[in-house]
Amino acid sequence: VKNKIADGVSASWKQLTEEEYQGRVDQAKAQWKNMSKEERAALMKSAGDAVRKASVEGSKLENFVLNRLRKLDYVVQFHRKGLLMNERLEVDLFLPELKTVIEIDGPAHFLPIWGEENLARNLRSDAQKTGLLLTQGFAVIRVKHLAKHISTKHMRDISTKIEETIKQITQQFPSKDKRLIQI
């Protein structure tokens, strides 16, 4: 039932005309504009708190993928640190039996949401992490997640792509030049 509801909501968003979508955007902007400074500050604080919480507990998508993979009986380590010797690097999801890392990269990995300096630091860090993992023989699945609306259907679709990729890795571990897989 939940999946049918999620599919219906996703379909209704996709069926919006550009004009209808823009109307919803304008309505949200007007709502923001009509807030007091205190209400805006409280909302911004709440958003910052949510980002900090997600960095510890994982994003909604990370947890969704984690739960799906565990239901399929994969051994998955969540927010694993110390995977490489002498490195404090943390990976989102690690499948030790497959020597495979899954990184789910949200908008802050591609857009200057927190400023240009933070974006540059994220890009550098992602490239270094990927390089270190690949040179140590790991397969790395990087999920580019830029969706404006994260629905259950969207999370299922991404998880299905990850699961298909993992099945391919299970059947045959990728050659050295094909160990970086982008979704």
Side-chain angles (χ1 to χ4, degrees):
V1 171
K2 285 183 180 180
N3 287 344
K4 285 184 181 180
I5 292 170
D7 292 348
V9 170
S10 177
S12 71
W13 274 100
K14 287 179 182 175
Q15 291 174 0
L16 289 177
T17 65
E18 186 61 38
E19 203 171 81
E20 291 169 326
Y21 179 79
Q22 191 58 47
R24 290 189 184 197
V25 168
D26 293 343
Q27 182 182 13
K29 286 180 179 179
Q31 186 177 3
W32 174 260
K33 187 178 178 181
N34 291 330
M35 286 183 184
S36 67
K37 286 184 180 181
E38 294 80 17
E39 289 171 321
R40 288 183 195 167
L43 194 56
M44 293 298 287
K45 181 187 179 315
S46 176
D49 291 345
V51 168
R52 283 185 287 284
K53 181 178 176 183
S55 73
V56 174
E57 297 176 10
S59 69
K60 190 174 181 179
L61 181 56
E62 287 173 346
N63 282 292
F64 186 89
V65 171
L66 172 69
N67 291 327
R68 289 253 314 226
L69 292 176
R70 285 185 172 162
K71 283 181 185 174
L72 293 171
D73 291 328
Y74 287 105
V75 174
V76 185
Q77 296 175 1
F78 188 63
H79 283 199
R80 167 73 191 271
K81 287 184 180 177
L83 190 58
L84 302 173
M85 295 191 97
N86 301 322
E87 291 293 330
R88 294 179 357 171
L89 139 102
E90 178 178 293
V91 298
D92 295 338
L93 303 166
F94 176 55
L95 289 81
E97 294 170 0
L98 299 176
K99 205 170 178 183
T100 299
V101 169
I102 302 169
E103 286 291 305
I104 299 177
D105 299 329
H109 292 259
F110 307 101
L111 303 170
I113 293 171
W114 307 107
E116 293 292 340
E117 287 180 30
N118 282 333
L119 175 60
R121 186 173 47 247
N122 282 346
L123 292 171
R124 223 176 12 260
S125 175
D126 288 346
Q128 289 172 345
K129 181 191 292 189
T130 299
L132 286 169
L133 291 165
L134 292 172
T135 59
Q136 293 300 310
F138 292 96
V140 179
I141 301 170
R142 290 205 84 99
V143 179
K144 186 174 185 177
H145 184 249
L146 290 172
K148 291 181 182 179
H149 309 286
I150 183 162
S151 65
T152 303
K153 180 183 182 332
H154 179 73
M155 290 190 296
R156 275 196 334 261
D157 291 346
I158 289 174
S159 189
T160 298
K161 289 177 184 174
I162 292 170
E163 292 161 23
E164 290 167 355
T165 303
I166 291 171
K167 283 180 188 173
Q168 292 172 354
I169 291 171
T170 302
Q171 292 169 359
Q172 183 172 350
F173 195 75
S175 61
K176 206 174 199 177
D177 61 332
K178 295 189 180 180
R179 289 190 188 145
L180 174 58
I181 302 155
Q182 297 181 341
I183 295 176

